[in-house]
Amino acid sequence: MKFSKQTMMALGAIAILGALIISLLSFPPAIAFILGMIAAIAALNYLPEIPESTTSSEAAPAGSKTIYIGNLPYRANESEVKKLFAEYGEVFAVRLMKDKRTGKRRGFGFVVMNNGDADTAISQLNNKEFGQRTLKVREANEPKNLDS
């Protein structure tokens, strides 16, 4: 079972509060903490379950589409790419990929836009020159699930 950070913090607070209350009843601190943890676990049954998709900070807005942009100039940054795509509609997010070891840009990224605007941007920007490079723009594939 996965818990959000807020749930884990709430459980910790309940455990500490429970331990403090129980220690006032003259139990040793270790036993008080264990009883506090039991109280926290019992309280967990009453907390509402939060779907994982609503806790994700990278959840795309409803009615949006993720666009793949390839063959980007290595010196391009998020604001330049956002400005380029904003000519065709509202841009919700821009993510340019970097190499993990060196931190240098890898020449591709993703833009999240409104469905209708995304289709226009794809047709207008695919094979367009940007920073002396010919962009490759298409709808992004769904991320591959590593569990399967």
Side-chain angles (χ1 to χ4, degrees), residues 29-109:
I31 293 175
F33 185 76
I34 291 170
L35 291 174
M37 286 301 294
I38 292 170
I41 292 170
L44 180 63
N45 291 328
Y46 295 103
L47 291 176
E49 191 170 318
I50 301 170
E52 191 173 324
S53 62
T54 60
T55 59
S56 173
S57 61
E58 298 206 14
S64 67
K65 189 178 283 188
T66 303
I67 303 169
Y68 166 82
I69 319 133
N71 204 31
L72 278 167
Y74 295 108
R75 67 181 182 279
N77 60 40
E78 282 87 356
S79 62
E80 291 172 342
V81 174
K82 183 173 184 172
K83 184 178 174 183
L84 176 68
F85 278 81
E87 295 175 19
Y88 302 99
E90 183 180 3
V91 176
F92 297 123
V94 176
R95 230 174 39 243
L96 301 182
M97 300 298 107
K98 292 182 178 180
D99 184 87
K100 288 180 184 177
R101 288 184 291 135
T102 64
K104 293 181 180 179
R105 301 212 188 273
R106 297 184 61 198
F108 72 95

